[in-house]
Coordinates of all heavy atoms in Angstrom, one line a residue:
M244 N -17.9 106.8 -33.3 CA -17.3 106.9 -34.6 C -18.1 107.9 -35.4 O -19.3 107.8 -35.4 CB -17.1 105.6 -35.3 CG -16.3 105.6 -36.5 SD -16.1 104.1 -37.4 CE -15.6 103.0 -36.1
E245 N -17.5 108.9 -36.1 CA -18.2 109.8 -36.9 C -18.5 109.2 -38.2 O -17.9 108.3 -38.7 CB -17.3 111.1 -37.1 CG -16.9 111.8 -35.9 CD -16.1 113.0 -36.1 OE1 -16.4 113.7 -37.1 OE2 -15.1 113.2 -35.4
S246 N -19.7 109.7 -38.8 CA -20.1 109.2 -40.0 C -19.4 109.9 -41.1 O -18.9 111.0 -40.9 CB -21.6 109.5 -40.2 OG -21.9 110.9 -40.4
P247 N -19.3 109.3 -42.3 CA -18.7 110.0 -43.4 C -19.4 111.3 -43.7 O -18.7 112.3 -44.1 CB -18.9 109.0 -44.6 CG -19.0 107.6 -43.9 CD -19.7 107.9 -42.6
Q248 N -20.7 111.4 -43.5 CA -21.3 112.6 -43.9 C -20.9 113.7 -42.9 O -20.8 114.9 -43.2 CB -22.9 112.5 -43.7 CG -23.6 113.7 -44.0 CD -23.4 114.3 -45.5 OE1 -23.5 113.5 -46.5 NE2 -23.1 115.5 -45.7
S249 N -20.8 113.4 -41.6 CA -20.3 114.4 -40.6 C -18.9 114.8 -40.9 O -18.6 116.0 -40.7 CB -20.5 113.9 -39.2 OG -19.6 112.8 -38.9
L250 N -18.0 113.9 -41.4 CA -16.7 114.3 -41.8 C -16.7 115.3 -43.0 O -15.9 116.2 -43.1 CB -15.9 113.1 -42.1 CG -15.5 112.3 -40.9 CD1 -14.8 110.9 -41.2 CD2 -14.7 113.0 -39.8
L251 N -17.6 115.0 -43.9 CA -17.8 115.8 -45.0 C -18.3 117.2 -44.7 O -17.8 118.2 -45.1 CB -18.7 115.2 -46.1 CG -19.0 116.0 -47.3 CD1 -17.7 116.3 -48.1 CD2 -20.0 115.3 -48.2
D252 N -19.2 117.2 -43.7 CA -19.7 118.5 -43.3 C -18.6 119.3 -42.6 O -18.5 120.5 -42.8 CB -20.8 118.3 -42.2 CG -22.1 117.7 -42.9 OD1 -22.2 117.8 -44.1 OD2 -22.9 117.1 -42.2
V253 N -17.7 118.7 -41.8 CA -16.6 119.4 -41.2 C -15.7 119.9 -42.2 O -15.2 121.1 -42.2 CB -15.8 118.5 -40.2 CG1 -14.5 119.1 -39.8 CG2 -16.7 118.1 -39.0
A254 N -15.4 119.1 -43.3 CA -14.5 119.6 -44.4 C -15.1 120.8 -45.0 O -14.4 121.7 -45.5 CB -14.2 118.4 -45.3
K255 N -16.4 120.7 -45.3 CA -17.1 121.8 -46.0 C -17.0 123.1 -45.2 O -16.7 124.2 -45.6 CB -18.5 121.5 -46.2 CG -18.8 120.6 -47.4 CD -20.3 120.5 -47.6 CE -20.8 119.3 -48.2 NZ -22.2 119.3 -48.3
A256 N -17.3 122.9 -43.9 CA -17.3 124.1 -43.0 C -16.0 124.7 -42.9 O -15.9 126.0 -42.8 CB -17.8 123.7 -41.6
A257 N -14.9 124.0 -42.9 CA -13.5 124.5 -42.9 C -12.9 124.9 -44.2 O -11.8 125.2 -44.3 CB -12.6 123.4 -42.2
D258 N -13.8 124.8 -45.2 CA -13.4 125.1 -46.6 C -12.1 124.3 -47.0 O -11.2 124.9 -47.6 CB -13.2 126.6 -46.7 CG -13.1 127.0 -48.2 OD1 -13.7 126.4 -49.1 OD2 -12.4 128.0 -48.5
L259 N -12.1 123.0 -46.7 CA -11.0 122.1 -47.0 C -11.2 121.3 -48.4 O -10.3 120.7 -48.8 CB -10.8 121.1 -45.8 CG -10.4 121.7 -44.6 CD1 -10.3 120.6 -43.5 CD2 -9.0 122.4 -44.7
A260 N -12.5 121.3 -48.9 CA -12.8 120.5 -50.0 C -13.3 121.4 -51.2 O -14.1 122.3 -50.9 CB -13.8 119.4 -49.6
R261 N -12.9 121.0 -52.4 CA -13.5 121.6 -53.5 C -14.4 120.5 -54.1 O -13.9 119.5 -54.7 CB -12.4 121.9 -54.6 CG -11.3 122.8 -54.1 CD -11.8 124.2 -53.8 NE -10.8 124.8 -52.8 CZ -11.1 125.1 -51.5 NH1 -12.3 124.9 -51.0 NH2 -10.2 125.6 -50.7
L262 N -15.7 120.7 -53.9 CA -16.7 119.7 -54.3 C -17.3 119.8 -55.6 O -18.1 119.0 -56.0 CB -17.7 119.6 -53.2 CG -17.1 119.4 -51.8 CD1 -18.2 119.5 -50.7 CD2 -16.4 118.0 -51.7
D263 N -16.9 120.8 -56.3 CA -17.4 120.9 -57.8 C -16.3 121.6 -58.5 O -15.4 122.3 -58.0 CB -18.7 121.7 -57.8 CG -18.7 123.0 -57.2 OD1 -17.8 123.8 -57.6 OD2 -19.5 123.4 -56.3
Q264 N -16.5 121.5 -59.9 CA -15.4 122.1 -60.8 C -15.3 123.6 -60.6 O -14.2 124.2 -60.6 CB -15.8 121.7 -62.2 CG -14.8 122.3 -63.3 CD -13.4 121.6 -63.1 OE1 -13.3 120.5 -62.8 NE2 -12.4 122.4 -63.4
A265 N -16.4 124.3 -60.4 CA -16.4 125.8 -60.3 C -15.6 126.2 -59.1 O -14.7 127.2 -59.2 CB -17.8 126.3 -60.3
S266 N -15.8 125.6 -57.9 CA -15.1 126.0 -56.7 C -13.6 125.6 -56.8 O -12.7 126.4 -56.3 CB -15.7 125.4 -55.4 OG -15.6 124.1 -55.4
W267 N -13.4 124.5 -57.5 CA -11.9 124.1 -57.7 C -11.3 125.1 -58.6 O -10.2 125.5 -58.3 CB -11.9 122.7 -58.3 CG -10.5 122.2 -58.6 CD1 -9.7 121.5 -57.7 CD2 -9.7 122.3 -59.8 NE1 -8.5 121.2 -58.3 CE2 -8.5 121.7 -59.6 CE3 -10.0 123.0 -61.0 CZ2 -7.5 121.7 -60.5 CZ3 -9.0 122.9 -62.0 CH2 -7.8 122.3 -61.7
Q268 N -11.9 125.5 -59.7 CA -11.3 126.4 -60.6 C -11.1 127.8 -60.0 O -10.1 128.5 -60.2 CB -12.2 126.6 -61.9 CG -11.5 127.4 -63.0 CD -10.2 126.6 -63.4 OE1 -10.2 125.5 -63.8 NE2 -9.1 127.4 -63.4
T269 N -12.0 128.3 -59.2 CA -11.9 129.5 -58.5 C -10.6 129.5 -57.6 O -9.9 130.5 -57.6 CB -13.1 129.8 -57.7 OG1 -14.3 129.9 -58.5 CG2 -13.0 131.1 -56.8
K270 N -10.5 128.4 -56.9 CA -9.3 128.4 -56.0 C -8.0 128.3 -56.9 O -7.0 128.9 -56.5 CB -9.4 127.1 -55.1 CG -8.4 127.0 -54.0 CD -8.6 128.1 -53.0 CE -7.8 127.8 -51.7 NZ -8.1 128.7 -50.7
R271 N -8.1 127.6 -57.9 CA -6.9 127.4 -58.8 C -6.5 128.8 -59.4 O -5.4 129.2 -59.3 CB -7.2 126.4 -59.9 CG -6.1 126.2 -60.9 CD -4.8 125.6 -60.4 NE -4.9 124.4 -59.8 CZ -4.4 123.3 -60.3 NH1 -3.8 123.2 -61.4 NH2 -4.5 122.1 -59.6
D272 N -7.5 129.5 -59.8 CA -7.3 130.9 -60.4 C -6.7 131.8 -59.3 O -5.8 132.6 -59.7 CB -8.6 131.5 -61.0 CG -9.1 130.7 -62.2 OD1 -8.3 129.9 -62.8 OD2 -10.3 130.9 -62.5
K273 N -7.1 131.7 -58.1 CA -6.6 132.5 -57.1 C -5.1 132.2 -56.8 O -4.3 133.1 -56.6 CB -7.4 132.3 -55.7 CG -7.0 133.2 -54.6 CD -7.9 133.0 -53.4 CE -7.4 133.7 -52.2 NZ -8.2 133.6 -51.0
M274 N -4.8 130.9 -56.8 CA -3.4 130.5 -56.6 C -2.5 131.0 -57.8 O -1.4 131.5 -57.5 CB -3.3 129.0 -56.5 CG -3.8 128.4 -55.2 SD -3.5 126.6 -55.0 CE -4.8 125.9 -56.0
V275 N -3.0 130.9 -59.0 CA -2.2 131.4 -60.2 C -2.0 132.9 -60.0 O -0.9 133.4 -60.3 CB -2.9 131.0 -61.5 CG1 -2.2 131.7 -62.7 CG2 -2.8 129.5 -61.6
K276 N -3.1 133.6 -59.6 CA -3.0 135.1 -59.5 C -1.9 135.4 -58.4 O -1.1 136.4 -58.6 CB -4.3 135.7 -59.1 CG -4.4 137.1 -59.0 CD -5.8 137.6 -58.6 CE -5.8 139.2 -58.4 NZ -7.1 139.6 -58.0
T277 N -1.9 134.7 -57.4 CA -0.9 134.9 -56.3 C 0.5 134.6 -56.8 O 1.5 135.4 -56.6 CB -1.2 134.1 -55.0 OG1 -2.4 134.4 -54.5 CG2 -0.1 134.3 -53.9
C278 N 0.7 133.5 -57.4 CA 2.0 133.1 -57.9 C 2.6 134.0 -58.9 O 3.8 134.2 -59.0 CB 2.0 131.7 -58.4 SG 1.6 130.4 -57.2
K279 N 1.7 134.6 -59.9 CA 2.2 135.3 -60.9 C 2.7 136.7 -60.5 O 3.2 137.4 -61.3 CB 1.1 135.5 -62.0 CG 0.0 136.4 -61.8 CD -0.9 136.5 -63.0 CE -2.0 137.5 -62.8 NZ -2.8 137.7 -64.0
Q280 N 2.6 137.0 -59.3 CA 3.2 138.2 -58.7 C 4.7 138.1 -58.8 O 5.4 139.1 -58.9 CB 2.7 138.5 -57.3 CG 1.2 138.9 -57.3 CD 0.8 139.0 -55.8 OE1 1.6 139.3 -54.9 NE2 -0.5 138.9 -55.6
C281 N 5.3 136.9 -58.7 CA 6.7 136.7 -58.8 C 7.1 135.8 -59.9 O 8.3 135.8 -60.2 CB 7.2 136.1 -57.4 SG 6.8 137.0 -56.0
H282 N 6.2 135.0 -60.5 CA 6.5 134.0 -61.5 C 5.7 134.2 -62.7 O 4.7 134.9 -62.7 CB 6.4 132.6 -61.0 CG 7.1 132.3 -59.7 ND1 8.5 132.1 -59.6 CD2 6.7 132.3 -58.4 CE1 8.8 131.9 -58.4 NE2 7.8 132.0 -57.6
S283 N 6.1 133.6 -63.8 CA 5.3 133.7 -65.0 C 4.0 132.8 -64.8 O 4.1 131.8 -63.9 CB 6.1 133.1 -66.2 OG 6.2 131.7 -66.1
V284 N 3.0 133.1 -65.6 CA 1.7 132.3 -65.4 C 2.0 130.8 -65.8 O 1.5 129.9 -65.2 CB 0.7 132.9 -66.3 CG1 -0.6 132.0 -66.4 CG2 0.2 134.3 -65.7
N285 N 2.9 130.7 -66.8 CA 3.2 129.3 -67.3 C 3.9 128.5 -66.2 O 3.5 127.3 -66.0 CB 4.0 129.3 -68.5 CG 3.2 129.7 -69.8 OD1 2.0 129.6 -69.8 ND2 3.9 130.1 -70.8
F286 N 4.8 129.2 -65.5 CA 5.5 128.5 -64.3 C 4.5 128.1 -63.3 O 4.5 127.0 -62.8 CB 6.6 129.4 -63.8 CG 7.3 128.8 -62.7 CD1 8.4 127.9 -62.9 CD2 7.0 129.1 -61.3 CE1 9.0 127.3 -61.8 CE2 7.7 128.6 -60.3 CZ 8.7 127.7 -60.5
A287 N 3.6 129.1 -62.9 CA 2.7 128.8 -61.9 C 1.8 127.6 -62.3 O 1.5 126.7 -61.4 CB 1.8 130.0 -61.6
K288 N 1.3 127.6 -63.4 CA 0.4 126.5 -63.9 C 1.2 125.2 -63.9 O 0.5 124.1 -63.6 CB -0.2 126.8 -65.3 CG -1.3 127.9 -65.1 CD -1.9 128.2 -66.5 CE -3.0 129.2 -66.4 NZ -3.6 129.6 -67.7
E289 N 2.4 125.2 -64.4 CA 3.2 124.0 -64.4 C 3.4 123.4 -63.0 O 3.3 122.2 -62.8 CB 4.6 124.3 -65.0 CG 5.4 123.1 -65.2 CD 6.8 123.6 -65.9 OE1 6.7 123.9 -67.1 OE2 7.8 123.5 -65.2
Q290 N 3.7 124.3 -62.0 CA 3.9 123.8 -60.7 C 2.6 123.2 -60.1 O 2.6 122.3 -59.4 CB 4.4 124.9 -59.8 CG 5.8 125.5 -60.2 CD 6.8 124.4 -60.4 OE1 7.0 123.6 -59.4 NE2 7.4 124.3 -61.5
L291 N 1.5 123.9 -60.4 CA 0.2 123.3 -59.9 C -0.1 122.0 -60.6 O -0.6 121.1 -59.9 CB -1.0 124.3 -60.1 CG -0.9 125.6 -59.3 CD1 -1.9 126.6 -59.9 CD2 -1.1 125.3 -57.9
Q292 N 0.3 121.9 -61.8 CA 0.1 120.5 -62.5 C 1.0 119.5 -61.8 O 0.6 118.3 -61.7 CB 0.5 120.7 -64.0 CG 0.3 119.4 -64.8 CD -1.1 119.0 -64.8 OE1 -2.1 119.8 -64.9 NE2 -1.4 117.7 -64.8
H293 N 2.3 119.8 -61.5 CA 3.1 118.9 -60.8 C 2.4 118.4 -59.4 O 2.5 117.3 -59.1 CB 4.5 119.5 -60.5 CG 5.4 119.6 -61.6 ND1 5.6 118.6 -62.5 CD2 6.0 120.7 -62.1 CE1 6.4 119.0 -63.5 NE2 6.7 120.3 -63.2
G294 N 1.8 119.4 -58.7 CA 1.1 119.1 -57.5 C 0.0 118.1 -57.8 O -0.3 117.2 -57.0
D295 N -0.8 118.4 -58.8 CA -1.9 117.5 -59.2 C -1.4 116.1 -59.5 O -2.0 115.1 -59.0 CB -2.6 118.0 -60.5 CG -3.3 119.3 -60.3 OD1 -3.5 119.7 -59.1 OD2 -3.6 119.9 -61.3
E296 N -0.2 116.0 -60.2 CA 0.4 114.6 -60.5 C 0.8 113.9 -59.2 O 0.6 112.7 -59.0 CB 1.5 114.8 -61.4 CG 1.1 115.2 -62.8 CD 2.3 115.6 -63.7 OE1 3.5 115.3 -63.3 OE2 2.1 116.2 -64.7
M297 N 1.3 114.7 -58.3 CA 1.7 114.1 -56.9 C 0.5 113.5 -56.2 O 0.6 112.4 -55.7 CB 2.5 115.1 -56.1 CG 3.9 115.3 -56.5 SD 4.8 116.3 -55.3 CE 4.2 117.9 -55.6
I298 N -0.6 114.3 -56.2 CA -1.8 113.8 -55.6 C -2.3 112.6 -56.2 O -2.7 111.6 -55.6 CB -2.8 114.9 -55.5 CG1 -2.4 116.0 -54.6 CG2 -4.2 114.4 -55.1 CD1 -3.2 117.3 -54.6
R299 N -2.3 112.6 -57.6 CA -2.8 111.3 -58.3 C -1.9 110.1 -58.0 O -2.4 109.0 -57.7 CB -2.8 111.6 -59.8 CG -4.1 112.2 -60.3 CD -4.2 112.1 -61.9 NE -3.2 113.0 -62.5 CZ -3.3 114.3 -62.6 NH1 -4.4 114.9 -62.2 NH2 -2.3 115.0 -63.3
N300 N -0.6 110.3 -57.9 CA 0.3 109.3 -57.7 C 0.1 108.7 -56.2 O 0.1 107.5 -55.9 CB 1.8 109.7 -57.8 CG 2.1 109.9 -59.3 OD1 1.5 109.3 -60.2 ND2 3.1 110.6 -59.5
A301 N -0.1 109.7 -55.2 CA -0.3 109.3 -53.9 C -1.6 108.6 -53.8 O -1.7 107.5 -53.0 CB -0.3 110.5 -53.0
D302 N -2.6 109.0 -54.5 CA -4.0 108.3 -54.4 C -3.7 106.9 -55.0 O -4.3 105.9 -54.4 CB -5.0 109.0 -55.2 CG -5.5 110.3 -54.6 OD1 -5.2 110.5 -53.4 OD2 -6.2 111.1 -55.2
H303 N -3.0 106.8 -56.0 CA -2.7 105.4 -56.7 C -2.0 104.5 -55.7 O -2.4 103.3 -55.5 CB -2.0 105.6 -58.0 CG -1.6 104.3 -58.6 ND1 -2.5 103.5 -59.3 CD2 -0.5 103.6 -58.8 CE1 -2.0 102.4 -59.8 NE2 -0.7 102.5 -59.4
L304 N -1.0 105.0 -55.0 CA -0.3 104.2 -54.1 C -1.1 103.8 -52.9 O -1.1 102.7 -52.4 CB 1.0 105.0 -53.6 CG 2.1 105.1 -54.6 CD1 3.2 106.1 -54.1 CD2 2.7 103.8 -54.9
M305 N -1.9 104.8 -52.4 CA -2.9 104.4 -51.3 C -3.9 103.3 -51.7 O -4.1 102.4 -50.9 CB -3.6 105.6 -50.9 CG -4.5 105.4 -49.6 SD -3.7 104.8 -48.2 CE -2.9 106.4 -47.6
A306 N -4.4 103.4 -52.9 CA -5.4 102.4 -53.4 C -4.6 101.1 -53.5 O -5.2 100.0 -53.1 CB -5.9 102.8 -54.8
Q307 N -3.4 101.0 -54.0 CA -2.6 99.8 -54.0 C -2.5 99.2 -52.6 O -2.6 97.9 -52.4 CB -1.3 100.0 -54.6 CG -1.3 100.1 -56.1 CD 0.2 100.2 -56.6 OE1 0.9 101.3 -56.3 NE2 0.6 99.3 -57.4
A308 N -2.1 100.0 -51.7 CA -1.9 99.6 -50.3 C -3.3 99.0 -49.7 O -3.2 97.9 -49.0 CB -1.4 100.7 -49.4
I309 N -4.3 99.7 -50.0 CA -5.6 99.2 -49.5 C -6.0 97.9 -50.1 O -6.4 96.9 -49.4 CB -6.7 100.2 -49.8 CG1 -6.5 101.5 -48.9 CG2 -8.2 99.7 -49.6 CD1 -7.4 102.6 -49.2
R310 N -5.7 97.7 -51.3 CA -6.0 96.4 -52.1 C -5.1 95.3 -51.4 O -5.6 94.1 -51.2 CB -5.8 96.5 -53.5 CG -6.9 97.2 -54.3 CD -6.8 97.1 -55.8 NE -5.6 97.7 -56.3 CZ -5.6 99.0 -56.7 NH1 -6.7 99.7 -56.6 NH2 -4.5 99.5 -57.2
E311 N -3.9 95.6 -51.2 CA -3.0 94.6 -50.6 C -3.4 94.2 -49.2 O -3.4 93.0 -48.8 CB -1.5 95.2 -50.5 CG -0.8 95.3 -51.9 CD -0.6 94.0 -52.6 OE1 -0.3 93.0 -51.9 OE2 -0.6 94.0 -53.8
V312 N -3.8 95.1 -48.4 CA -4.2 94.8 -47.0 C -5.5 94.0 -47.1 O -5.7 93.1 -46.3 CB -4.3 96.1 -46.1 CG1 -5.0 95.8 -44.8 CG2 -2.9 96.7 -45.9
A313 N -6.4 94.4 -47.9 CA -7.7 93.7 -48.1 C -7.4 92.3 -48.5 O -8.0 91.3 -48.0 CB -8.5 94.4 -49.1
A314 N -6.5 92.0 -49.3 CA -6.1 90.7 -49.7 C -5.5 89.9 -48.6 O -5.8 88.7 -48.4 CB -5.1 90.7 -50.9
L315 N -4.8 90.5 -47.7 CA -4.2 89.9 -46.6 C -5.3 89.4 -45.6 O -5.3 88.3 -45.0 CB -3.2 90.8 -45.8 CG -1.9 91.0 -46.6 CD1 -1.1 92.1 -45.9 CD2 -1.1 89.7 -46.8
Y316 N -6.3 90.3 -45.4 CA -7.5 89.9 -44.6 C -8.3 88.8 -45.2 O -8.7 87.8 -44.6 CB -8.5 91.1 -44.4 CG -8.0 92.1 -43.3 CD1 -7.7 93.4 -43.7 CD2 -7.9 91.7 -42.0 CE1 -7.3 94.3 -42.7 CE2 -7.6 92.6 -41.0 CZ -7.2 93.9 -41.4 OH -6.8 94.8 -40.4
K317 N -8.4 88.9 -46.5 CA -9.2 87.9 -47.3 C -8.5 86.5 -47.2 O -9.1 85.5 -47.0 CB -9.4 88.3 -48.7 CG -10.2 87.3 -49.6 CD -10.3 87.7 -51.0 CE -11.0 86.7 -51.8 NZ -11.0 87.0 -53.2
D318 N -7.1 86.5 -47.3 CA -6.4 85.2 -47.2 C -6.2 84.7 -45.8 O -5.6 83.7 -45.6 CB -5.0 85.5 -47.9 CG -5.2 85.7 -49.4 OD1 -6.3 85.5 -50.0 OD2 -4.2 86.2 -50.0
G319 N -6.6 85.5 -44.8 CA -6.5 85.1 -43.4 C -5.1 85.3 -42.9 O -4.8 84.9 -41.7
V320 N -4.2 86.0 -43.6 CA -2.9 86.4 -43.1 C -3.1 87.4 -41.9 O -2.3 87.3 -40.9 CB -2.0 86.9 -44.2 CG1 -0.7 87.4 -43.7 CG2 -1.9 85.9 -45.3
L321 N -4.0 88.3 -42.1 CA -4.3 89.2 -41.0 C -5.6 88.9 -40.4 O -6.6 88.6 -41.1 CB -4.4 90.7 -41.5 CG -3.1 91.3 -42.1 CD1 -3.3 92.7 -42.6 CD2 -2.0 91.4 -41.0
A322 N -5.7 88.9 -39.1 CA -6.9 88.7 -38.3 C -7.8 89.9 -38.4 O -7.3 91.0 -38.2 CB -6.7 88.2 -37.0
T323 N -9.1 89.7 -38.6 CA -9.9 90.9 -38.6 C -10.1 91.3 -37.1 O -10.4 90.6 -36.2 CB -11.4 90.5 -39.1 OG1 -11.2 90.0 -40.4 CG2 -12.3 91.7 -39.1
P324 N -9.8 92.7 -36.9 CA -9.9 93.3 -35.5 C -11.3 93.3 -35.0 O -12.3 93.2 -35.8 CB -9.3 94.7 -35.7 CG -9.4 95.0 -37.1 CD -9.4 93.7 -37.9
A325 N -11.4 93.2 -33.7 CA -12.8 93.2 -33.1 C -13.5 94.5 -33.4 O -14.8 94.5 -33.6 CB -12.6 93.2 -31.5
T326 N -12.8 95.6 -33.5 CA -13.4 96.9 -34.0 C -12.6 97.5 -35.1 O -11.4 97.4 -35.1 CB -13.6 97.9 -32.9 OG1 -12.2 98.2 -32.3 CG2 -14.5 97.4 -31.7
I327 N -13.2 98.0 -36.1 CA -12.5 98.6 -37.2 C -12.8 100.1 -37.1 O -13.9 100.5 -37.1 CB -13.0 98.1 -38.6 CG1 -12.7 96.5 -38.6 CG2 -12.3 98.9 -39.7 CD1 -13.3 95.9 -39.9
L328 N -11.7 100.8 -37.0 CA -11.7 102.2 -36.9 C -11.7 102.9 -38.2 O -11.0 102.5 -39.1 CB -10.6 102.8 -36.0 CG -10.6 102.3 -34.5 CD1 -9.3 102.8 -33.8 CD2 -11.9 102.6 -33.8
C329 N -12.4 104.0 -38.4 CA -12.4 104.7 -39.6 C -11.3 105.7 -39.6 O -11.1 106.4 -38.7 CB -13.8 105.5 -39.7 SG -13.8 106.6 -41.1
I330 N -10.4 105.6 -40.7 CA -9.3 106.5 -40.8 C -9.8 107.7 -41.6 O -10.5 107.4 -42.6 CB -8.1 105.8 -41.5 CG1 -7.8 104.5 -40.7 CG2 -7.0 106.7 -41.6 CD1 -7.3 104.8 -39.4
P331 N -9.7 108.9 -41.2 CA -8.7 109.4 -40.2 C -9.4 109.7 -38.8 O -8.8 110.4 -38.0 CB -8.2 110.7 -40.8 CG -9.5 111.2 -41.5 CD -10.1 110.0 -42.1
C332 N -10.5 109.2 -38.6 CA -11.2 109.4 -37.3 C -10.9 108.4 -36.3 O -11.8 107.9 -35.6 CB -12.7 109.5 -37.5 SG -13.5 108.1 -38.4
V333 N -9.6 108.0 -36.1 CA -9.2 107.1 -35.1 C -9.3 107.8 -33.8 O -8.9 108.9 -33.6 CB -7.7 106.7 -35.3 CG1 -7.2 105.8 -34.2 CG2 -7.6 106.0 -36.7
H334 N -10.0 107.1 -32.8 CA -10.2 107.7 -31.5 C -9.3 107.2 -30.4 O -8.9 106.1 -30.5 CB -11.7 107.4 -31.1 CG -12.7 108.0 -32.0 ND1 -13.1 109.2 -31.9 CD2 -13.4 107.4 -33.0 CE1 -13.9 109.5 -32.9 NE2 -14.2 108.4 -33.6

């Protein structure tokens, strides 16, 4: 099983993660610059904001699901597996 650090290293190497505000803002500015070739800046920013909201909502739903499953394990409804695999590094 891979460690969380090794997964983070892979994400960094593939440029998949924005790990600080400056790198996030640089990427966001690049996206707005691309979008404004066909759309207004306001439209581009609005669409990116909608994407941000979808990610927040998805994170919230995932957190709820994790809490629900954890409660099922705690209550004994689900049996703890012999091995617990790290998602997304399921082998």
Side-chain angles (χ1 to χ4, degrees):
M244 188 178 310
E245 296 182 44
S246 72
Q248 183 62 48
S249 65
L250 292 174
L251 178 60
D252 292 341
V253 169
K255 283 187 206 177
D258 195 28
L259 295 175
R261 306 291 159 248
L262 302 175
D263 58 54
Q264 181 65 32
S266 65
W267 181 88
Q268 190 61 55
T269 298
K270 190 68 166 184
R271 177 61 62 111
D272 292 344
K273 183 178 176 183
M274 288 187 278
V275 169
K276 184 178 177 181
T277 298
C278 294
K279 76 178 188 175
Q280 292 175 21
C281 300
H282 305 284
S283 73
V284 171
N285 288 339
F286 177 82
K288 289 180 178 180
E289 183 179 288
Q290 296 309 305
L291 291 170
Q292 183 63 35
H293 287 309
D295 294 343
E296 291 170 14
M297 284 189 286
I298 290 170
R299 272 192 294 280
N300 289 338
D302 287 348
H303 177 72
L304 289 171
M305 182 62 77
Q307 281 182 298
I309 289 168
R310 284 191 295 271
E311 290 293 328
V312 171
L315 293 172
Y316 280 117
K317 181 180 176 188
D318 294 344
V320 174
L321 293 176
T323 303
T326 57
I327 298 175
L328 301 176
C329 175
I330 304 299
C332 54
V333 176
H334 299 279

